[in-house]
Short mmCIF file of all heavy atoms in Angstrom, two decimals:
data_model
loop_
_atom_site.label_atom_id
_atom_site.label_comp_id
_atom_site.label_asym_id
_atom_site.label_seq_id
_atom_site.Cartn_x
_atom_site.Cartn_y
_atom_site.Cartn_z
N SER A 5 0.08 17.44 -14.64
CA SER A 5 0.42 16.90 -15.96
C SER A 5 1.75 16.16 -15.94
O SER A 5 2.18 15.63 -16.98
CB SER A 5 0.47 18.03 -16.99
OG SER A 5 1.44 19.01 -16.63
N PHE A 6 2.42 16.11 -14.78
CA PHE A 6 3.70 15.40 -14.68
C PHE A 6 3.48 13.90 -14.92
O PHE A 6 2.59 13.28 -14.34
CB PHE A 6 4.35 15.61 -13.32
CG PHE A 6 4.79 17.01 -13.04
CD1 PHE A 6 4.85 17.50 -11.74
CD2 PHE A 6 5.16 17.86 -14.07
CE1 PHE A 6 5.27 18.78 -11.47
CE2 PHE A 6 5.57 19.16 -13.80
CZ PHE A 6 5.62 19.62 -12.50
N SER A 7 4.32 13.32 -15.75
CA SER A 7 4.19 11.90 -16.09
C SER A 7 5.08 11.00 -15.24
O SER A 7 4.92 9.78 -15.25
CB SER A 7 4.49 11.67 -17.57
OG SER A 7 5.80 12.10 -17.88
N ASN A 8 6.02 11.59 -14.52
CA ASN A 8 6.90 10.81 -13.66
C ASN A 8 7.41 11.70 -12.54
O ASN A 8 8.30 12.52 -12.74
CB ASN A 8 8.06 10.22 -14.47
CG ASN A 8 8.94 9.29 -13.64
OD1 ASN A 8 8.63 8.98 -12.48
ND2 ASN A 8 10.02 8.83 -14.24
N TYR A 9 6.89 11.52 -11.34
CA TYR A 9 7.29 12.36 -10.24
C TYR A 9 7.27 11.56 -8.94
O TYR A 9 6.73 10.44 -8.88
CB TYR A 9 6.42 13.60 -10.12
CG TYR A 9 4.96 13.36 -9.79
CD1 TYR A 9 4.48 13.44 -8.50
CD2 TYR A 9 4.04 13.11 -10.81
CE1 TYR A 9 3.15 13.25 -8.20
CE2 TYR A 9 2.70 12.91 -10.54
CZ TYR A 9 2.26 12.98 -9.22
OH TYR A 9 0.92 12.80 -8.93
N SER A 10 7.86 12.11 -7.90
CA SER A 10 7.90 11.49 -6.58
C SER A 10 7.26 12.41 -5.56
O SER A 10 7.15 13.62 -5.76
CB SER A 10 9.33 11.15 -6.17
OG SER A 10 10.11 12.34 -6.07
N ILE A 11 6.85 11.82 -4.44
CA ILE A 11 6.20 12.56 -3.36
C ILE A 11 6.90 12.23 -2.05
O ILE A 11 7.15 11.06 -1.75
CB ILE A 11 4.71 12.21 -3.26
CG1 ILE A 11 3.94 12.72 -4.47
CG2 ILE A 11 4.11 12.77 -1.97
CD1 ILE A 11 2.48 12.28 -4.48
N ASN A 12 7.20 13.26 -1.29
CA ASN A 12 7.64 13.12 0.09
C ASN A 12 6.76 13.99 0.98
O ASN A 12 6.55 15.17 0.68
CB ASN A 12 9.10 13.56 0.25
CG ASN A 12 10.08 12.58 -0.34
OD1 ASN A 12 9.94 11.38 -0.19
ND2 ASN A 12 11.09 13.09 -1.04
N LEU A 13 6.24 13.40 2.04
CA LEU A 13 5.46 14.14 3.01
C LEU A 13 6.23 14.13 4.32
O LEU A 13 6.57 13.06 4.85
CB LEU A 13 4.07 13.52 3.20
CG LEU A 13 3.09 14.32 4.08
CD1 LEU A 13 2.75 15.66 3.44
CD2 LEU A 13 1.81 13.52 4.34
N LYS A 14 6.52 15.33 4.84
CA LYS A 14 7.35 15.46 6.04
C LYS A 14 6.60 16.23 7.11
O LYS A 14 5.78 17.09 6.81
CB LYS A 14 8.66 16.17 5.71
CG LYS A 14 9.49 15.47 4.63
CD LYS A 14 10.75 16.23 4.32
CE LYS A 14 11.56 15.50 3.24
NZ LYS A 14 12.84 16.20 2.96
N ASN A 15 6.91 15.90 8.36
CA ASN A 15 6.34 16.69 9.45
C ASN A 15 7.11 17.98 9.61
O ASN A 15 8.11 18.22 8.91
CB ASN A 15 6.28 15.87 10.75
CG ASN A 15 7.65 15.46 11.27
OD1 ASN A 15 8.68 16.05 10.92
ND2 ASN A 15 7.66 14.43 12.12
N ILE A 16 6.70 18.81 10.54
CA ILE A 16 7.28 20.14 10.69
C ILE A 16 8.74 20.09 11.13
O ILE A 16 9.49 21.05 10.96
CB ILE A 16 6.45 20.98 11.68
CG1 ILE A 16 6.74 22.49 11.51
CG2 ILE A 16 6.68 20.51 13.10
CD1 ILE A 16 6.29 23.04 10.18
N LEU A 17 9.18 18.94 11.68
CA LEU A 17 10.57 18.76 12.09
C LEU A 17 11.45 18.25 10.97
O LEU A 17 12.65 18.08 11.13
CB LEU A 17 10.65 17.80 13.29
CG LEU A 17 9.93 18.24 14.56
CD1 LEU A 17 10.03 17.15 15.63
CD2 LEU A 17 10.51 19.55 15.09
N GLY A 18 10.84 18.01 9.80
CA GLY A 18 11.60 17.55 8.65
C GLY A 18 11.70 16.04 8.52
O GLY A 18 12.37 15.54 7.62
N LYS A 19 11.02 15.28 9.40
CA LYS A 19 11.06 13.83 9.33
C LYS A 19 10.12 13.34 8.23
O LYS A 19 8.96 13.72 8.16
CB LYS A 19 10.65 13.22 10.66
CG LYS A 19 10.72 11.70 10.68
CD LYS A 19 10.33 11.13 12.03
CE LYS A 19 10.41 9.61 12.04
NZ LYS A 19 10.04 9.05 13.37
N ASN A 20 10.65 12.46 7.39
CA ASN A 20 9.88 11.92 6.27
C ASN A 20 8.91 10.87 6.79
O ASN A 20 9.31 9.89 7.42
CB ASN A 20 10.83 11.32 5.24
CG ASN A 20 10.29 11.39 3.83
OD1 ASN A 20 9.40 12.17 3.55
ND2 ASN A 20 10.81 10.57 2.96
N ILE A 21 7.60 11.06 6.56
CA ILE A 21 6.60 10.10 7.04
C ILE A 21 5.90 9.36 5.90
O ILE A 21 5.19 8.39 6.14
CB ILE A 21 5.55 10.81 7.93
CG1 ILE A 21 4.80 11.87 7.14
CG2 ILE A 21 6.21 11.42 9.16
CD1 ILE A 21 3.64 12.47 7.92
N LEU A 22 6.13 9.80 4.65
CA LEU A 22 5.56 9.14 3.51
C LEU A 22 6.38 9.43 2.27
O LEU A 22 6.70 10.58 1.98
CB LEU A 22 4.11 9.58 3.28
CG LEU A 22 3.39 8.99 2.05
CD1 LEU A 22 3.18 7.50 2.23
CD2 LEU A 22 2.07 9.71 1.80
N SER A 23 6.73 8.37 1.51
CA SER A 23 7.47 8.52 0.26
C SER A 23 6.83 7.67 -0.83
O SER A 23 6.56 6.49 -0.61
CB SER A 23 8.94 8.11 0.44
OG SER A 23 9.63 8.99 1.30
N LEU A 24 6.59 8.26 -1.97
CA LEU A 24 6.03 7.58 -3.12
C LEU A 24 6.87 7.91 -4.34
O LEU A 24 7.29 9.05 -4.51
CB LEU A 24 4.57 7.99 -3.34
CG LEU A 24 3.60 7.72 -2.16
CD1 LEU A 24 2.25 8.35 -2.45
CD2 LEU A 24 3.45 6.23 -1.91
N ARG A 25 7.08 6.91 -5.21
CA ARG A 25 7.94 7.10 -6.36
C ARG A 25 7.21 6.69 -7.64
O ARG A 25 6.24 5.91 -7.61
CB ARG A 25 9.22 6.26 -6.21
CG ARG A 25 10.08 6.66 -5.01
CD ARG A 25 10.75 8.01 -5.23
NE ARG A 25 11.64 8.39 -4.13
CZ ARG A 25 11.25 9.10 -3.08
NH1 ARG A 25 9.97 9.54 -3.00
NH2 ARG A 25 12.11 9.41 -2.13
N ASN A 26 7.74 7.20 -8.78
CA ASN A 26 7.27 6.81 -10.11
C ASN A 26 5.75 6.98 -10.27
O ASN A 26 5.05 6.07 -10.73
CB ASN A 26 7.67 5.36 -10.41
CG ASN A 26 9.18 5.17 -10.36
OD1 ASN A 26 9.96 6.00 -10.83
ND2 ASN A 26 9.60 4.05 -9.75
N ILE A 27 5.28 8.16 -9.92
CA ILE A 27 3.85 8.46 -10.02
C ILE A 27 3.58 9.17 -11.33
O ILE A 27 4.38 10.01 -11.77
CB ILE A 27 3.39 9.34 -8.83
CG1 ILE A 27 3.79 8.68 -7.50
CG2 ILE A 27 1.90 9.59 -8.88
CD1 ILE A 27 3.62 9.61 -6.33
N SER A 28 2.48 8.86 -11.95
CA SER A 28 2.09 9.52 -13.19
C SER A 28 0.76 10.23 -13.00
O SER A 28 -0.21 9.63 -12.54
CB SER A 28 2.00 8.52 -14.34
OG SER A 28 3.29 7.97 -14.62
N TYR A 29 0.74 11.50 -13.34
CA TYR A 29 -0.47 12.30 -13.37
C TYR A 29 -1.14 12.40 -12.00
O TYR A 29 -0.44 12.66 -11.00
CB TYR A 29 -1.42 11.80 -14.47
CG TYR A 29 -0.71 11.68 -15.81
CD1 TYR A 29 -0.51 10.45 -16.41
CD2 TYR A 29 -0.20 12.80 -16.44
CE1 TYR A 29 0.15 10.34 -17.63
CE2 TYR A 29 0.46 12.71 -17.66
CZ TYR A 29 0.65 11.48 -18.24
OH TYR A 29 1.31 11.37 -19.44
N ASN A 30 -2.39 12.17 -11.90
CA ASN A 30 -3.13 12.47 -10.67
C ASN A 30 -2.92 11.39 -9.60
O ASN A 30 -2.75 10.21 -9.90
CB ASN A 30 -4.62 12.61 -10.97
CG ASN A 30 -4.89 13.73 -11.97
OD1 ASN A 30 -4.09 14.66 -12.12
ND2 ASN A 30 -6.02 13.65 -12.65
N LYS A 31 -2.96 11.84 -8.35
CA LYS A 31 -2.74 10.93 -7.23
C LYS A 31 -3.55 11.37 -6.01
O LYS A 31 -3.64 12.55 -5.71
CB LYS A 31 -1.26 10.89 -6.86
CG LYS A 31 -0.91 9.95 -5.71
CD LYS A 31 -1.10 8.51 -6.09
CE LYS A 31 -0.68 7.58 -4.95
NZ LYS A 31 -0.89 6.14 -5.30
N ARG A 32 -4.13 10.38 -5.33
CA ARG A 32 -4.85 10.63 -4.08
C ARG A 32 -4.08 9.97 -2.94
O ARG A 32 -3.73 8.80 -3.01
CB ARG A 32 -6.27 10.09 -4.15
CG ARG A 32 -7.10 10.32 -2.89
CD ARG A 32 -8.52 9.78 -3.06
NE ARG A 32 -9.31 9.89 -1.85
CZ ARG A 32 -9.34 8.98 -0.90
NH1 ARG A 32 -8.61 7.87 -1.02
NH2 ARG A 32 -10.09 9.16 0.17
N ILE A 33 -3.83 10.75 -1.87
CA ILE A 33 -3.06 10.27 -0.73
C ILE A 33 -3.96 10.19 0.50
O ILE A 33 -4.60 11.18 0.88
CB ILE A 33 -1.86 11.19 -0.42
CG1 ILE A 33 -0.98 11.35 -1.66
CG2 ILE A 33 -1.05 10.66 0.74
CD1 ILE A 33 0.10 12.39 -1.48
N ASP A 34 -3.99 9.03 1.15
CA ASP A 34 -4.76 8.84 2.37
C ASP A 34 -3.98 9.43 3.56
O ASP A 34 -2.87 8.99 3.85
CB ASP A 34 -5.03 7.36 2.59
CG ASP A 34 -5.91 7.09 3.81
OD1 ASP A 34 -6.36 8.06 4.47
OD2 ASP A 34 -6.14 5.90 4.12
N VAL A 35 -4.54 10.41 4.24
CA VAL A 35 -3.88 11.03 5.39
C VAL A 35 -4.72 10.89 6.65
O VAL A 35 -4.46 11.54 7.66
CB VAL A 35 -3.59 12.52 5.12
CG1 VAL A 35 -2.62 12.69 3.96
CG2 VAL A 35 -4.87 13.31 4.85
N SER A 36 -5.71 10.01 6.61
CA SER A 36 -6.66 9.89 7.73
C SER A 36 -6.00 9.40 9.01
O SER A 36 -6.52 9.63 10.10
CB SER A 36 -7.80 8.95 7.34
OG SER A 36 -7.30 7.65 7.01
N LYS A 37 -4.86 8.68 8.88
CA LYS A 37 -4.20 8.14 10.06
C LYS A 37 -3.08 9.03 10.59
O LYS A 37 -2.43 8.69 11.56
CB LYS A 37 -3.65 6.74 9.74
CG LYS A 37 -4.72 5.72 9.38
CD LYS A 37 -4.12 4.36 9.11
CE LYS A 37 -5.22 3.35 8.77
NZ LYS A 37 -4.62 1.99 8.48
N PHE A 38 -2.86 10.17 9.92
CA PHE A 38 -1.82 11.08 10.38
C PHE A 38 -2.35 12.01 11.47
O PHE A 38 -3.53 12.35 11.48
CB PHE A 38 -1.27 11.91 9.22
CG PHE A 38 -0.56 11.09 8.17
CD1 PHE A 38 -0.56 11.49 6.85
CD2 PHE A 38 0.11 9.93 8.50
CE1 PHE A 38 0.08 10.75 5.88
CE2 PHE A 38 0.76 9.18 7.55
CZ PHE A 38 0.75 9.58 6.23
N ARG A 39 -1.46 12.41 12.36
CA ARG A 39 -1.83 13.34 13.43
C ARG A 39 -2.17 14.72 12.87
O ARG A 39 -1.65 15.12 11.84
CB ARG A 39 -0.71 13.46 14.45
CG ARG A 39 -0.44 12.19 15.26
CD ARG A 39 0.65 12.45 16.27
NE ARG A 39 0.90 11.27 17.10
CZ ARG A 39 1.81 11.23 18.07
NH1 ARG A 39 2.55 12.31 18.32
NH2 ARG A 39 1.96 10.11 18.78
N ASN A 40 -3.03 15.42 13.57
CA ASN A 40 -3.30 16.81 13.19
C ASN A 40 -2.03 17.65 13.28
O ASN A 40 -1.22 17.47 14.19
CB ASN A 40 -4.37 17.40 14.09
CG ASN A 40 -5.74 16.78 13.88
OD1 ASN A 40 -5.96 16.04 12.93
ND2 ASN A 40 -6.67 17.09 14.76
N GLY A 41 -1.86 18.54 12.32
CA GLY A 41 -0.69 19.42 12.36
C GLY A 41 -0.31 19.93 10.98
O GLY A 41 -1.04 19.75 10.01
N THR A 42 0.83 20.57 10.94
CA THR A 42 1.34 21.14 9.69
C THR A 42 2.40 20.23 9.09
O THR A 42 3.30 19.77 9.78
CB THR A 42 1.94 22.54 9.94
OG1 THR A 42 0.94 23.39 10.49
CG2 THR A 42 2.44 23.15 8.63
N TYR A 43 2.32 19.98 7.79
CA TYR A 43 3.23 19.10 7.09
C TYR A 43 3.79 19.80 5.85
O TYR A 43 3.22 20.80 5.37
CB TYR A 43 2.52 17.81 6.66
CG TYR A 43 2.06 16.96 7.83
CD1 TYR A 43 0.88 17.25 8.51
CD2 TYR A 43 2.80 15.86 8.24
CE1 TYR A 43 0.46 16.49 9.58
CE2 TYR A 43 2.37 15.07 9.30
CZ TYR A 43 1.21 15.39 9.97
OH TYR A 43 0.80 14.62 11.03
N VAL A 44 4.90 19.29 5.36
CA VAL A 44 5.51 19.79 4.14
C VAL A 44 5.41 18.72 3.06
O VAL A 44 5.89 17.61 3.23
CB VAL A 44 6.99 20.18 4.37
CG1 VAL A 44 7.63 20.61 3.04
CG2 VAL A 44 7.10 21.29 5.39
N LEU A 45 4.76 19.07 1.96
CA LEU A 45 4.59 18.17 0.83
C LEU A 45 5.58 18.57 -0.27
O LEU A 45 5.58 19.69 -0.74
CB LEU A 45 3.17 18.23 0.29
CG LEU A 45 2.87 17.39 -0.96
CD1 LEU A 45 2.97 15.90 -0.63
CD2 LEU A 45 1.50 17.73 -1.54
N GLU A 46 6.42 17.61 -0.66
CA GLU A 46 7.38 17.83 -1.74
C GLU A 46 6.97 17.00 -2.95
O GLU A 46 6.79 15.78 -2.85
CB GLU A 46 8.79 17.43 -1.32
CG GLU A 46 9.37 18.28 -0.19
CD GLU A 46 10.78 17.85 0.17
OE1 GLU A 46 11.22 16.80 -0.34
OE2 GLU A 46 11.43 18.55 0.96
N ILE A 47 6.83 17.64 -4.08
CA ILE A 47 6.56 16.97 -5.35
C ILE A 47 7.75 17.24 -6.26
O ILE A 47 8.04 18.39 -6.59
CB ILE A 47 5.26 17.48 -5.99
CG1 ILE A 47 4.08 17.27 -5.04
CG2 ILE A 47 5.01 16.80 -7.33
CD1 ILE A 47 2.79 17.91 -5.51
N ALA A 48 8.49 16.19 -6.64
CA ALA A 48 9.74 16.38 -7.35
C ALA A 48 9.75 15.62 -8.67
O ALA A 48 9.34 14.47 -8.74
CB ALA A 48 10.91 15.94 -6.48
N THR A 49 10.24 16.29 -9.70
CA THR A 49 10.56 15.66 -10.97
C THR A 49 12.07 15.65 -11.12
O THR A 49 12.80 16.03 -10.21
CB THR A 49 9.91 16.41 -12.14
OG1 THR A 49 10.54 17.69 -12.28
CG2 THR A 49 8.41 16.59 -11.91
N ASN A 50 12.55 15.25 -12.25
CA ASN A 50 13.99 15.26 -12.48
C ASN A 50 14.56 16.67 -12.56
O ASN A 50 15.77 16.87 -12.39
CB ASN A 50 14.33 14.50 -13.78
CG ASN A 50 14.11 13.01 -13.66
OD1 ASN A 50 14.23 12.44 -12.58
ND2 ASN A 50 13.78 12.37 -14.78
N SER A 51 13.71 17.65 -12.82
CA SER A 51 14.20 19.01 -13.06
C SER A 51 13.73 20.05 -12.05
O SER A 51 14.27 21.15 -12.01
CB SER A 51 13.79 19.48 -14.47
OG SER A 51 12.38 19.47 -14.60
N GLU A 52 12.73 19.74 -11.26
CA GLU A 52 12.22 20.75 -10.33
C GLU A 52 11.59 20.09 -9.11
O GLU A 52 11.25 18.91 -9.11
CB GLU A 52 11.21 21.67 -11.02
CG GLU A 52 9.95 21.00 -11.50
CD GLU A 52 9.02 21.98 -12.18
OE1 GLU A 52 8.75 23.04 -11.60
OE2 GLU A 52 8.56 21.69 -13.28
#
């Protein structure tokens, strides 16, 4: 339900591999070209 948020996708070493800004509500992210493994997804608003 967030109307304005950002996305950062990082690998297990903390390197940022994808950044998206000013997103509203639902979002689909294409990850088909990323290597298999564990990633950290950050969804941030102004307050959390």
